[in-house]
CSV table of all heavy atoms in Angstrom, one decimal:
chain,number,residue,atom,x,y,z
B,806,ARG,N,39.9,-181.0,-2.8
B,806,ARG,CA,40.8,-180.5,-3.7
B,806,ARG,C,41.8,-179.6,-3.0
B,806,ARG,O,42.6,-178.9,-3.7
B,806,ARG,CB,40.0,-179.5,-4.7
B,806,ARG,CG,39.0,-180.3,-5.6
B,806,ARG,CD,38.3,-179.3,-6.5
B,806,ARG,NE,37.2,-180.1,-7.2
B,806,ARG,CZ,36.2,-179.5,-7.7
B,806,ARG,NH1,36.0,-178.2,-7.6
B,806,ARG,NH2,35.3,-180.2,-8.4
B,807,GLY,N,41.9,-179.7,-1.7
B,807,GLY,CA,42.9,-179.0,-0.9
B,807,GLY,C,42.7,-177.5,-0.8
B,807,GLY,O,43.5,-176.7,-0.5
B,808,GLU,N,41.4,-177.1,-1.1
B,808,GLU,CA,41.0,-175.7,-1.0
B,808,GLU,C,40.4,-175.5,0.4
B,808,GLU,O,39.9,-176.4,1.1
B,808,GLU,CB,40.0,-175.2,-2.0
B,808,GLU,CG,40.6,-175.3,-3.4
B,808,GLU,CD,39.5,-175.2,-4.5
B,808,GLU,OE1,38.4,-174.7,-4.2
B,808,GLU,OE2,39.8,-175.7,-5.6
B,809,LYS,N,40.4,-174.2,0.9
B,809,LYS,CA,39.8,-173.9,2.1
B,809,LYS,C,38.3,-173.9,2.1
B,809,LYS,O,37.7,-173.6,1.0
B,809,LYS,CB,40.2,-172.5,2.6
B,809,LYS,CG,41.1,-172.5,3.8
B,809,LYS,CD,41.5,-171.1,4.3
B,809,LYS,CE,40.3,-170.2,4.6
B,809,LYS,NZ,40.6,-168.9,4.9
B,810,GLU,N,37.6,-174.3,3.2
B,810,GLU,CA,36.2,-174.3,3.1
B,810,GLU,C,35.7,-172.8,3.0
B,810,GLU,O,36.4,-171.9,3.4
B,810,GLU,CB,35.6,-174.8,4.4
B,810,GLU,CG,35.8,-176.4,4.5
B,810,GLU,CD,35.0,-177.0,5.6
B,810,GLU,OE1,34.2,-176.3,6.3
B,810,GLU,OE2,35.2,-178.2,5.8
B,811,LEU,N,34.5,-172.6,2.4
B,811,LEU,CA,34.1,-171.3,2.2
B,811,LEU,C,33.4,-170.7,3.5
B,811,LEU,O,32.7,-171.5,4.1
B,811,LEU,CB,33.0,-171.4,1.1
B,811,LEU,CG,32.9,-170.2,0.1
B,811,LEU,CD1,34.3,-170.0,-0.6
B,811,LEU,CD2,31.9,-170.5,-1.0
B,812,ASP,N,33.7,-169.5,3.9
B,812,ASP,CA,33.1,-169.0,5.1
B,812,ASP,C,31.6,-168.8,4.8
B,812,ASP,O,31.2,-168.6,3.7
B,812,ASP,CB,33.7,-167.7,5.5
B,812,ASP,CG,33.6,-166.6,4.6
B,812,ASP,OD1,32.6,-165.9,4.6
B,812,ASP,OD2,34.5,-166.5,3.7
B,813,PRO,N,30.8,-168.8,5.9
B,813,PRO,CA,29.3,-168.7,5.7
B,813,PRO,C,28.9,-167.5,4.8
B,813,PRO,O,28.0,-167.7,3.9
B,813,PRO,CB,28.8,-168.6,7.0
B,813,PRO,CG,29.8,-169.3,7.9
B,813,PRO,CD,31.2,-169.0,7.3
B,814,ALA,N,29.5,-166.4,5.0
B,814,ALA,CA,29.0,-165.2,4.3
B,814,ALA,C,29.3,-165.3,2.8
B,814,ALA,O,28.4,-165.1,1.9
B,814,ALA,CB,29.7,-164.0,4.8
B,815,SER,N,30.5,-165.8,2.4
B,815,SER,CA,30.8,-166.0,1.0
B,815,SER,C,29.9,-167.0,0.4
B,815,SER,O,29.5,-166.9,-0.8
B,815,SER,CB,32.3,-166.4,0.8
B,815,SER,OG,33.1,-165.7,1.6
B,816,PHE,N,29.7,-168.1,1.2
B,816,PHE,CA,28.8,-169.1,0.7
B,816,PHE,C,27.4,-168.6,0.3
B,816,PHE,O,26.9,-168.8,-0.8
B,816,PHE,CB,28.6,-170.3,1.7
B,816,PHE,CG,27.5,-171.2,1.2
B,816,PHE,CD1,27.7,-172.2,0.2
B,816,PHE,CD2,26.3,-171.2,1.9
B,816,PHE,CE1,26.8,-173.1,-0.2
B,816,PHE,CE2,25.3,-172.0,1.4
B,816,PHE,CZ,25.5,-173.0,0.4
B,817,LEU,N,26.8,-167.8,1.3
B,817,LEU,CA,25.5,-167.3,1.0
B,817,LEU,C,25.5,-166.3,-0.1
B,817,LEU,O,24.5,-166.3,-0.9
B,817,LEU,CB,25.0,-166.6,2.3
B,817,LEU,CG,24.7,-167.5,3.5
B,817,LEU,CD1,24.3,-166.7,4.7
B,817,LEU,CD2,23.5,-168.5,3.2
B,818,LYS,N,26.5,-165.6,-0.3
B,818,LYS,CA,26.6,-164.6,-1.4
B,818,LYS,C,26.6,-165.4,-2.8
B,818,LYS,O,25.9,-165.1,-3.7
B,818,LYS,CB,27.9,-163.8,-1.3
B,818,LYS,CG,27.8,-162.5,-2.0
B,818,LYS,CD,29.0,-161.6,-1.7
B,818,LYS,CE,29.4,-160.9,-3.0
B,818,LYS,NZ,30.8,-160.5,-3.1
B,819,LEU,N,27.5,-166.4,-2.8
B,819,LEU,CA,27.6,-167.2,-4.0
B,819,LEU,C,26.2,-167.9,-4.4
B,819,LEU,O,25.7,-167.9,-5.5
B,819,LEU,CB,28.6,-168.3,-3.9
B,819,LEU,CG,28.8,-169.2,-5.0
B,819,LEU,CD1,29.5,-168.5,-6.2
B,819,LEU,CD2,29.8,-170.4,-4.6
B,820,GLN,N,25.6,-168.4,-3.3
B,820,GLN,CA,24.3,-169.1,-3.5
B,820,GLN,C,23.3,-168.2,-4.0
B,820,GLN,O,22.5,-168.5,-4.9
B,820,GLN,CB,23.9,-169.7,-2.1
B,820,GLN,CG,22.6,-170.5,-2.1
B,820,GLN,CD,22.3,-171.0,-0.8
B,820,GLN,OE1,22.5,-172.2,-0.6
B,820,GLN,NE2,21.9,-170.3,0.2
B,821,LYS,N,23.2,-167.0,-3.4
B,821,LYS,CA,22.2,-166.0,-3.8
B,821,LYS,C,22.4,-165.6,-5.3
B,821,LYS,O,21.5,-165.5,-6.1
B,821,LYS,CB,22.3,-164.8,-2.9
B,821,LYS,CG,21.3,-163.7,-3.2
B,821,LYS,CD,20.8,-163.1,-2.0
B,821,LYS,CE,19.7,-162.1,-2.3
B,821,LYS,NZ,20.2,-160.7,-2.6
B,822,GLN,N,23.6,-165.4,-5.6
B,822,GLN,CA,24.0,-165.0,-7.0
B,822,GLN,C,23.5,-166.1,-8.0
B,822,GLN,O,22.8,-165.8,-9.0
B,822,GLN,CB,25.5,-164.8,-7.1
B,822,GLN,CG,26.0,-164.3,-8.4
B,822,GLN,CD,27.5,-164.6,-8.6
B,822,GLN,OE1,28.2,-164.7,-7.6
B,822,GLN,NE2,27.9,-164.9,-9.8
B,823,LYS,N,23.9,-167.3,-7.8
B,823,LYS,CA,23.5,-168.4,-8.7
B,823,LYS,C,22.0,-168.6,-8.8
B,823,LYS,O,21.4,-168.9,-9.8
B,823,LYS,CB,24.2,-169.7,-8.3
B,823,LYS,CG,25.7,-169.7,-8.2
B,823,LYS,CD,26.2,-169.5,-9.6
B,823,LYS,CE,27.8,-169.4,-9.5
B,823,LYS,NZ,28.3,-168.8,-10.8
B,824,LEU,N,21.4,-168.4,-7.6
B,824,LEU,CA,19.9,-168.6,-7.5
B,824,LEU,C,19.2,-167.5,-8.5
B,824,LEU,O,18.3,-167.9,-9.2
B,824,LEU,CB,19.5,-168.4,-6.1
B,824,LEU,CG,18.3,-169.1,-5.6
B,824,LEU,CD1,18.4,-170.6,-5.7
B,824,LEU,CD2,18.0,-168.8,-4.1
B,825,THR,N,19.7,-166.3,-8.3
B,825,THR,CA,19.1,-165.2,-9.1
B,825,THR,C,19.4,-165.5,-10.6
B,825,THR,O,18.4,-165.4,-11.4
B,825,THR,CB,19.8,-163.9,-8.7
B,825,THR,OG1,19.8,-163.8,-7.3
B,825,THR,CG2,19.0,-162.7,-9.3
B,826,GLU,N,20.6,-165.9,-11.0
B,826,GLU,CA,20.9,-166.2,-12.3
B,826,GLU,C,19.9,-167.2,-13.0
B,826,GLU,O,19.6,-167.2,-14.1
B,826,GLU,CB,22.3,-166.7,-12.5
B,826,GLU,CG,23.3,-165.6,-12.5
B,826,GLU,CD,24.7,-166.1,-12.3
B,826,GLU,OE1,25.0,-167.3,-12.7
B,826,GLU,OE2,25.7,-165.3,-12.0
B,827,LEU,N,19.5,-168.2,-12.1
B,827,LEU,CA,18.7,-169.3,-12.6
B,827,LEU,C,17.2,-169.0,-12.4
B,827,LEU,O,16.4,-169.8,-12.6
B,827,LEU,CB,19.1,-170.6,-12.0
B,827,LEU,CG,20.4,-171.2,-12.4
B,827,LEU,CD1,20.9,-172.3,-11.5
B,827,LEU,CD2,20.4,-171.7,-13.8
B,828,GLY,N,16.9,-167.8,-11.9
B,828,GLY,CA,15.5,-167.4,-11.7
B,828,GLY,C,14.8,-168.3,-10.8
B,828,GLY,O,13.7,-168.7,-11.0
B,829,MET,N,15.5,-168.7,-9.7
B,829,MET,CA,14.9,-169.7,-8.7
B,829,MET,C,14.5,-168.9,-7.5
B,829,MET,O,15.1,-167.9,-7.1
B,829,MET,CB,15.9,-170.7,-8.4
B,829,MET,CG,16.2,-171.6,-9.6
B,829,MET,SD,17.5,-172.7,-9.3
B,829,MET,CE,16.8,-173.9,-8.3
B,830,ASP,N,13.4,-169.5,-6.8
B,830,ASP,CA,12.9,-168.9,-5.6
B,830,ASP,C,13.8,-169.3,-4.4
B,830,ASP,O,14.0,-170.4,-4.2
B,830,ASP,CB,11.5,-169.4,-5.5
B,830,ASP,CG,10.7,-168.7,-4.4
B,830,ASP,OD1,11.3,-167.8,-3.7
B,830,ASP,OD2,9.5,-168.9,-4.3
B,831,ALA,N,14.2,-168.2,-3.6
B,831,ALA,CA,15.0,-168.5,-2.4
B,831,ALA,C,14.3,-169.4,-1.5
B,831,ALA,O,15.0,-170.0,-0.6
B,831,ALA,CB,15.4,-167.2,-1.8
B,832,ASP,N,13.1,-169.5,-1.5
B,832,ASP,CA,12.2,-170.3,-0.6
B,832,ASP,C,12.6,-171.8,-0.6
B,832,ASP,O,12.6,-172.5,0.3
B,832,ASP,CB,10.8,-170.1,-1.0
B,832,ASP,CG,9.9,-170.7,0.0
B,832,ASP,OD1,10.0,-170.3,1.2
B,832,ASP,OD2,9.0,-171.5,-0.3
B,833,MET,N,13.1,-172.2,-1.8
B,833,MET,CA,13.4,-173.6,-2.0
B,833,MET,C,14.6,-174.0,-1.2
B,833,MET,O,14.8,-175.2,-0.9
B,833,MET,CB,13.6,-173.9,-3.5
B,833,MET,CG,14.8,-173.2,-4.0
B,833,MET,SD,15.5,-173.9,-5.5
B,833,MET,CE,16.4,-175.3,-4.9
B,834,LEU,N,15.4,-173.1,-0.8
B,834,LEU,CA,16.7,-173.3,-0.1
B,834,LEU,C,16.3,-173.9,1.3
B,834,LEU,O,17.1,-174.7,1.9
B,834,LEU,CB,17.5,-172.1,0.1
B,834,LEU,CG,18.1,-171.5,-1.2
B,834,LEU,CD1,18.7,-170.2,-1.0
B,834,LEU,CD2,19.1,-172.5,-1.8
B,835,LYS,N,15.2,-173.5,1.9
B,835,LYS,CA,14.9,-174.0,3.2
B,835,LYS,C,14.1,-175.3,3.2
B,835,LYS,O,13.9,-175.9,4.2
B,835,LYS,CB,14.0,-172.9,3.9
B,835,LYS,CG,14.8,-171.7,4.3
B,835,LYS,CD,13.9,-170.6,5.0
B,835,LYS,CE,13.4,-169.6,3.9
B,835,LYS,NZ,12.3,-168.8,4.2
B,836,ARG,N,13.7,-175.7,2.0
B,836,ARG,CA,13.0,-177.0,1.9
B,836,ARG,C,13.9,-178.1,1.8
B,836,ARG,O,15.1,-178.0,1.4
B,836,ARG,CB,12.0,-176.9,0.7
B,836,ARG,CG,10.9,-176.0,0.9
B,836,ARG,CD,9.8,-176.1,-0.1
B,836,ARG,NE,10.0,-175.4,-1.3
B,836,ARG,CZ,9.5,-175.6,-2.5
B,836,ARG,NH1,8.7,-176.7,-2.7
B,836,ARG,NH2,9.7,-174.9,-3.6
B,837,GLY,N,13.4,-179.3,2.1
B,837,GLY,CA,14.2,-180.5,1.9
B,837,GLY,C,14.6,-180.7,0.5
B,837,GLY,O,13.8,-180.3,-0.5
B,838,VAL,N,15.8,-181.3,0.2
B,838,VAL,CA,16.3,-181.3,-1.2
B,838,VAL,C,15.3,-182.0,-2.1
B,838,VAL,O,14.9,-183.2,-1.8
B,838,VAL,CB,17.6,-182.1,-1.2
B,838,VAL,CG1,18.1,-182.3,-2.6
B,838,VAL,CG2,18.7,-181.5,-0.3
B,839,ASN,N,14.8,-181.3,-3.1
B,839,ASN,CA,13.8,-181.8,-4.0
B,839,ASN,C,12.5,-182.2,-3.5
B,839,ASN,O,11.7,-182.8,-4.3
B,839,ASN,CB,14.5,-183.0,-4.9
B,839,ASN,CG,15.6,-182.5,-5.7
B,839,ASN,OD1,15.6,-181.4,-6.3
B,839,ASN,ND2,16.6,-183.3,-5.8
B,840,VAL,N,12.3,-182.0,-2.2
B,840,VAL,CA,11.0,-182.5,-1.7
B,840,VAL,C,9.9,-181.6,-2.0
B,840,VAL,O,9.9,-180.4,-1.8
B,840,VAL,CB,11.1,-182.6,-0.1
B,840,VAL,CG1,9.8,-183.1,0.5
B,840,VAL,CG2,12.2,-183.6,0.2
Side-chain angles (χ1 to χ4, degrees):
Chain B
R806 293 176 187 160
E808 295 165 23
K809 248 182 57 185
E810 292 194 1
L811 219 54
D812 64 88
S815 314
F816 169 78
L817 289 175
K818 202 174 141 207
L819 181 69
Q820 179 175 260
K821 181 143 186 272
Q822 181 203 330
K823 299 296 177 195
L824 209 61
T825 315
E826 281 170 16
L827 289 166
M829 296 170 73
D830 193 352
D832 192 51
M833 63 162 285
L834 295 171
K835 285 180 264 160
R836 291 194 271 159
V838 176
N839 293 322
V840 179

